[in-house]
Amino acid sequence: MKGGIAVNSPRNYIVSFESMTHAQKARSFLSSKGYNAEVVRAGSCGFGVSVYGRKDEISALLAAAGLRVKGIE
Amino acid sequence: MTTTERIINFDNAATSFPKPRQVRAAVTSALERFGGNPSRGGHRLALAASSAVYEARCTAADFFDASPENTVFTLNCTHALNFAIKGIMRPGEHLVISSLEHNSVSRPAVALKKSGCDFSVFKVYPDSRDTLRSLREAMTPQTKAVACTLASNVTGQLLPFREIGEICRRSGVCFIADGAQACGVIPVSLENDNINILCTAGHKALYGLTGTGLLLSDGSFTVQPIIEGGTGSDSENPAQPLFLPDSLEAGTLNTIGAISVNTGIKFISAYRLDRIRAHEEKLCAVLINGLERMGAEIYRFAGAEYVPIVSFNIPGKSPEQLAAYLNERGICMRAGLHCAGLAHKSGGTPDGTIRFAPSIFNSENEVLYLLSEINKFL
């Protein structure tokens, strides 16, 4: 995309979850789908998964797996 | 007796000992590797501990057909049962328990009466059809939950738990199962056995450390927390979060204990439940054969099914006398009421019994030695 940043271009996202256990489950799931994902601290007292990819694809995958996401930044 | 003398443990229903070599090795390694606080902080020690606990959750969840986020680590089975029973019941609701319950079920039921919850007891018979009839009769329109053991900790008698779960499922009633004596000996599945909440010990037939237990939920009933505190999540919220497992895991988790349970479950999975049960049942058969020749009273009914536990008495002798005599000879067995006054009352053994509870690490020779010592005691 010329002259701007593509909203859906692959980059590193932090997907945040309610708890460490949910983040761990998401990391495990995303890794099984071939994503390079790791659990990280997210916000002042939360946990997330750092993952490289397209936001729409990651969101759709996690939703299809029934994993409740708090946000993707 | 000194610790260097030979000790034979036939009290594995209280807690298993020895633990498998793999569990001992995993615990030793964990003490050196997992020093952080799981779900607290984002540094490498905390994250490593979190990963280890998550792996343990996944192992337990797979073993009992649950999901890892609905798998809660507790201090023991009693702790899990208190969470489940008190977290499900509300004032005005009715609870049903069986006549074979351990105090970990019957005492919470009694305590709940102060909160306006009533409870009824259904009788367990040798014939499961009679047991199920008794259960149906005990249930009322106000019944919110049935809480019962899968197998008696006194006699080892198995309840028809899959059918109990089916009755509960059809009635929209929560089935809370106490798996302390069954899990690790027979297959138990939330899915196949219609169990909504399974509570079990980690330190008995799952071969983890003492101070470990599990609560596994199928997610269909909300368990309100009865203990509040830090969870490492949702900290800006003044109230306890209501999502599992955090809602029931206030305070620092027993990381080493979770790792021990993880390794214990992997050990029994590799060994196979059917082989474990066959070995322990063979030991029970050897014991029963010898006891019958001595004229002992054995508390087993024809037609009923059992996990590998045998409760018995020697006529004219107290169970405590026999246990003390055996203890002097290096044999550890439990005598008395086994924390299950209700079961003894309904089973006609108000003065208690002596209980034989082998593990995979006991041998036939050890049982023969036990029989020879009982024979000398007569």
Coordinates of all heavy atoms in Angstrom, one line a residue, chain A residues 17-29 38-41 44-47 66-68 70, chain B residues 38-42 46-47 50-52 54 57 67-69 232-236 243-246 249:
Chain A
F17 N -5.5 -11.2 27.3 CA -6.5 -12.2 27.8 C -6.8 -11.9 29.2 O -6.1 -11.2 29.9 CB -5.9 -13.6 27.6 CG -5.8 -14.1 26.2 CD1 -4.6 -13.8 25.5 CD2 -6.8 -14.7 25.5 CE1 -4.5 -14.2 24.2 CE2 -6.7 -15.0 24.2 CZ -5.5 -14.8 23.5
E18 N -7.9 -12.6 29.7 CA -8.3 -12.4 31.1 C -7.2 -12.9 32.1 O -7.1 -12.3 33.1 CB -9.6 -13.2 31.4 CG -10.8 -12.5 30.8 CD -12.1 -13.3 31.1 OE1 -12.0 -14.6 31.0 OE2 -13.1 -12.7 31.4
S19 N -6.6 -14.0 31.7 CA -5.7 -14.5 32.7 C -4.5 -15.2 32.0 O -4.5 -15.5 30.8 CB -6.4 -15.5 33.6 OG -6.6 -16.8 32.9
M20 N -3.5 -15.5 32.8 CA -2.3 -16.3 32.3 C -2.7 -17.6 31.7 O -2.2 -18.0 30.6 CB -1.4 -16.5 33.5 CG -0.3 -17.5 33.2 SD 0.8 -17.0 31.8 CE 1.9 -15.9 32.7
T21 N -3.7 -18.3 32.3 CA -4.1 -19.6 31.7 C -4.7 -19.5 30.3 O -4.4 -20.2 29.4 CB -5.1 -20.3 32.7 OG1 -4.5 -20.4 34.0 CG2 -5.4 -21.7 32.2
H22 N -5.5 -18.4 30.1 CA -6.1 -18.2 28.8 C -5.0 -17.8 27.8 O -5.0 -18.2 26.7 CB -7.2 -17.2 28.9 CG -8.4 -17.6 29.7 ND1 -8.5 -17.4 31.1 CD2 -9.5 -18.3 29.4 CE1 -9.6 -17.9 31.5 NE2 -10.2 -18.5 30.6
A23 N -4.1 -17.0 28.3 CA -3.0 -16.6 27.4 C -2.1 -17.8 27.0 O -1.7 -18.0 25.8 CB -2.1 -15.6 28.1
Q24 N -1.9 -18.7 28.0 CA -1.1 -19.9 27.7 C -1.8 -20.8 26.7 O -1.2 -21.4 25.8 CB -0.9 -20.7 29.0 CG 0.0 -20.1 30.0 CD 1.5 -20.3 29.7 OE1 1.9 -20.9 28.7 NE2 2.4 -19.9 30.6
K25 N -3.1 -20.9 26.8 CA -3.9 -21.7 25.9 C -3.8 -21.2 24.5 O -3.7 -21.9 23.5 CB -5.3 -21.9 26.4 CG -6.2 -22.8 25.6 CD -7.5 -23.1 26.2 CE -8.3 -24.1 25.3 NZ -9.6 -24.5 25.9
A26 N -3.9 -19.8 24.4 CA -3.9 -19.2 23.1 C -2.5 -19.3 22.5 O -2.4 -19.6 21.3 CB -4.2 -17.7 23.3
R27 N -1.5 -19.2 23.3 CA -0.1 -19.4 22.8 C 0.1 -20.8 22.2 O 0.6 -20.9 21.1 CB 0.9 -19.1 23.9 CG 2.4 -19.2 23.4 CD 3.3 -19.6 24.5 NE 3.0 -20.9 25.0 CZ 3.2 -22.1 24.4 NH1 3.8 -22.1 23.3 NH2 2.9 -23.2 25.0
S28 N -0.4 -21.7 23.0 CA -0.3 -23.1 22.5 C -1.0 -23.3 21.2 O -0.6 -24.0 20.3 CB -0.8 -24.0 23.6 OG -0.8 -25.3 23.2
F29 N -2.2 -22.7 21.1 CA -3.1 -22.9 19.9 C -2.4 -22.2 18.7 O -2.3 -22.8 17.7 CB -4.5 -22.3 20.2 CG -5.3 -22.3 19.0 CD1 -5.9 -23.4 18.5 CD2 -5.6 -21.1 18.4 CE1 -6.7 -23.4 17.4 CE2 -6.4 -21.0 17.3 CZ -7.0 -22.2 16.8
E38 N 4.4 -16.0 21.9 CA 5.0 -16.2 23.2 C 4.1 -15.4 24.2 O 3.6 -14.3 23.9 CB 6.4 -15.8 23.4 CG 6.8 -14.4 23.1 CD 8.3 -14.1 23.4 OE1 8.8 -14.7 24.4 OE2 8.8 -13.3 22.7
V39 N 4.0 -15.9 25.5 CA 3.3 -15.2 26.5 C 4.1 -14.1 27.0 O 5.3 -14.2 27.3 CB 2.9 -16.2 27.6 CG1 2.3 -15.5 28.8 CG2 2.0 -17.3 27.1
V40 N 3.4 -12.9 27.2 CA 4.1 -11.7 27.7 C 3.1 -11.0 28.7 O 1.9 -11.3 28.8 CB 4.4 -10.7 26.6 CG1 5.4 -11.3 25.6 CG2 3.1 -10.3 25.9
R41 N 3.7 -10.2 29.5 CA 2.9 -9.3 30.4 C 2.2 -8.3 29.5 O 2.8 -7.8 28.5 CB 3.9 -8.6 31.3 CG 3.2 -7.8 32.4 CD 2.8 -8.8 33.5 NE 2.4 -8.1 34.7 CZ 1.6 -8.6 35.7 NH1 1.2 -9.8 35.5 NH2 1.4 -7.9 36.7
S44 N -1.0 -3.3 33.0 CA -0.5 -3.2 34.4 C -0.6 -4.5 35.1 O 0.2 -4.8 36.0 CB -1.2 -2.1 35.2 OG -2.6 -2.4 35.2
C45 N -1.6 -5.3 34.8 CA -1.8 -6.6 35.5 C -2.6 -7.5 34.7 O -3.7 -7.9 35.0 CB -2.5 -6.4 36.9 SG -2.2 -7.7 38.0
G46 N -2.0 -7.8 33.5 CA -2.7 -8.8 32.6 C -1.7 -9.5 31.8 O -0.5 -9.3 32.0
F47 N -2.2 -10.5 31.1 CA -1.3 -11.3 30.3 C -1.7 -11.4 28.8 O -2.9 -11.2 28.6 CB -1.2 -12.7 30.9 CG -0.5 -12.7 32.2 CD1 -1.3 -12.6 33.4 CD2 0.9 -12.7 32.3 CE1 -0.7 -12.6 34.6 CE2 1.5 -12.6 33.6 CZ 0.7 -12.6 34.7
G66 N -12.8 -20.5 20.1 CA -13.5 -20.2 21.4 C -12.7 -19.5 22.4 O -13.0 -19.6 23.6
L67 N -11.6 -18.9 22.0 CA -10.7 -18.3 23.0 C -11.1 -16.8 23.2 O -11.2 -16.0 22.2 CB -9.2 -18.3 22.6 CG -8.7 -19.8 22.6 CD1 -7.5 -19.9 21.7 CD2 -8.3 -20.2 24.0
R68 N -11.5 -16.4 24.4 CA -12.0 -15.1 24.7 C -10.9 -14.1 24.7 O -10.0 -14.1 25.6 CB -12.8 -15.1 26.0 CG -14.2 -15.7 25.8 CD -14.9 -15.7 27.2 NE -14.1 -16.5 28.1 CZ -14.5 -16.7 29.4 NH1 -15.5 -16.0 29.9 NH2 -13.8 -17.4 30.2
K70 N -9.4 -10.2 25.1 CA -9.8 -8.9 25.6 C -9.5 -7.8 24.7 O -10.2 -6.8 24.6 CB -9.0 -8.6 26.9 CG -9.7 -9.2 28.2 CD -8.9 -9.0 29.4 CE -9.0 -7.6 30.0 NZ -8.3 -7.4 31.3
Chain B
P38 N 3.9 -18.3 39.7 CA 3.2 -18.4 38.4 C 2.1 -17.3 38.3 O 1.4 -17.1 39.3 CB 2.6 -19.8 38.4 CG 2.7 -20.2 39.9 CD 3.8 -19.5 40.5
S39 N 1.8 -16.8 37.2 CA 0.8 -15.8 36.9 C 1.0 -14.5 37.7 O 0.1 -13.7 37.9 CB -0.6 -16.3 37.2 OG -0.9 -17.4 36.5
R40 N 2.3 -14.3 38.1 CA 2.6 -13.0 38.8 C 3.8 -12.4 38.1 O 4.9 -13.0 38.2 CB 2.9 -13.2 40.3 CG 1.9 -14.0 41.1 CD 0.6 -13.3 41.2 NE -0.3 -13.9 42.3 CZ -1.1 -15.0 42.1 NH1 -1.1 -15.6 40.9 NH2 -1.8 -15.4 43.1
G41 N 3.7 -11.3 37.5 CA 4.8 -10.7 36.8 C 5.1 -11.3 35.5 O 4.7 -12.4 35.1
G42 N 5.9 -10.5 34.7 CA 6.3 -10.9 33.4 C 7.7 -11.3 33.2 O 8.2 -11.5 32.1
A46 N 8.9 -16.0 36.5 CA 7.5 -16.1 36.7 C 6.8 -16.8 35.5 O 6.0 -17.6 35.6 CB 6.8 -14.7 36.9
L47 N 7.3 -16.4 34.3 CA 6.7 -17.0 33.1 C 7.1 -18.5 33.0 O 6.3 -19.3 32.5 CB 7.2 -16.3 31.8 CG 6.7 -14.8 31.7 CD1 7.3 -14.2 30.4 CD2 5.1 -14.8 31.6
S50 N 4.8 -20.3 35.3 CA 3.5 -20.3 34.7 C 3.3 -21.4 33.6 O 2.3 -22.0 33.5 CB 3.1 -18.9 34.0 OG 3.2 -17.9 35.0
S51 N 4.4 -21.5 32.8 CA 4.4 -22.5 31.7 C 4.3 -23.9 32.3 O 3.6 -24.8 31.8 CB 5.6 -22.4 30.9 OG 5.6 -21.2 30.1
A52 N 5.0 -24.1 33.4 CA 5.0 -25.4 34.1 C 3.7 -25.8 34.6 O 3.2 -26.9 34.5 CB 6.1 -25.5 35.1
Y54 N 0.8 -24.5 33.6 CA -0.1 -24.7 32.5 C 0.1 -26.1 31.9 O -0.9 -26.7 31.6 CB 0.1 -23.6 31.4 CG -0.8 -23.8 30.2 CD1 -2.2 -23.5 30.4 CD2 -0.4 -24.3 29.0 CE1 -3.1 -23.7 29.4 CE2 -1.3 -24.5 28.0 CZ -2.6 -24.2 28.2 OH -3.5 -24.3 27.1
R57 N -1.8 -28.4 34.1 CA -3.3 -28.2 33.8 C -3.7 -29.0 32.6 O -4.7 -29.7 32.6 CB -3.6 -26.8 33.5 CG -3.8 -25.9 34.7 CD -4.5 -24.6 34.3 NE -3.9 -23.5 35.0 CZ -4.1 -23.2 36.3 NH1 -5.0 -23.9 37.0 NH2 -3.5 -22.2 36.9
S67 N -11.2 -29.0 30.1 CA -10.3 -28.1 29.4 C -9.4 -27.5 30.4 O -9.7 -27.4 31.6 CB -11.2 -27.0 28.7 OG -11.9 -26.3 29.7
P68 N -8.2 -27.1 30.0 CA -7.2 -26.6 30.9 C -7.7 -25.3 31.7 O -7.3 -25.2 32.9 CB -6.0 -26.2 30.1 CG -6.4 -26.3 28.7 CD -7.6 -27.1 28.6
E69 N -8.5 -24.5 31.1 CA -8.9 -23.3 31.8 C -10.0 -23.6 32.9 O -10.3 -22.8 33.7 CB -9.4 -22.2 30.9 CG -10.6 -22.5 30.1 CD -10.3 -23.1 28.8 OE1 -9.3 -23.9 28.7 OE2 -11.1 -22.9 27.8
G232 N -3.3 -12.4 40.2 CA -2.4 -12.0 39.2 C -3.1 -11.6 37.9 O -2.5 -11.3 36.9
S233 N -4.5 -11.5 38.0 CA -5.3 -11.0 36.9 C -6.4 -10.1 37.4 O -6.8 -10.2 38.5 CB -5.9 -12.3 36.2 OG -6.7 -13.0 37.1
D234 N -6.8 -9.2 36.5 CA -8.0 -8.4 36.7 C -7.8 -7.6 38.1 O -8.7 -7.4 38.8 CB -9.2 -9.2 36.8 CG -10.5 -8.4 36.5 OD1 -10.4 -7.3 36.0 OD2 -11.6 -8.9 36.9
S235 N -6.5 -7.2 38.3 CA -6.2 -6.6 39.7 C -6.9 -5.3 40.0 O -7.0 -4.9 41.1 CB -4.7 -6.5 39.8 OG -4.1 -7.7 39.9
E236 N -7.3 -4.6 38.9 CA -8.0 -3.3 39.1 C -9.4 -3.5 39.7 O -10.0 -2.6 40.2 CB -8.0 -2.4 37.9 CG -8.9 -3.0 36.7 CD -8.1 -4.1 35.9 OE1 -7.1 -4.5 36.3 OE2 -8.6 -4.4 34.8
F243 N -14.0 -15.8 36.5 CA -13.7 -16.8 35.5 C -12.6 -17.8 36.1 O -11.8 -17.5 36.9 CB -13.1 -16.1 34.3 CG -12.0 -15.2 34.5 CD1 -10.7 -15.6 34.6 CD2 -12.2 -13.8 34.6 CE1 -9.6 -14.7 34.9 CE2 -11.2 -12.9 34.9 CZ -9.9 -13.4 35.0
L244 N -12.8 -19.0 35.7 CA -11.9 -20.1 36.1 C -10.6 -20.0 35.2 O -10.7 -19.5 34.1 CB -12.5 -21.5 35.8 CG -13.7 -21.8 36.8 CD1 -14.3 -23.2 36.3 CD2 -13.2 -22.0 38.2
P245 N -9.5 -20.5 35.7 CA -9.3 -21.0 37.1 C -9.0 -20.0 38.1 O -9.0 -20.3 39.3 CB -8.1 -21.9 36.9 CG -7.2 -21.2 35.8 CD -8.3 -20.6 34.9
D246 N -8.8 -18.7 37.7 CA -8.4 -17.7 38.6 C -9.4 -17.5 39.8 O -9.0 -17.2 40.9 CB -8.2 -16.3 37.9 CG -7.2 -16.4 36.8 OD1 -7.1 -17.5 36.2 OD2 -6.4 -15.4 36.6
E249 N -8.5 -19.8 42.5 CA -7.0 -19.9 42.8 C -6.4 -18.6 43.4 O -5.4 -18.1 43.0 CB -6.3 -20.3 41.5 CG -6.5 -21.8 41.1 CD -5.6 -22.2 39.9 OE1 -5.0 -21.3 39.3 OE2 -5.6 -23.4 39.7

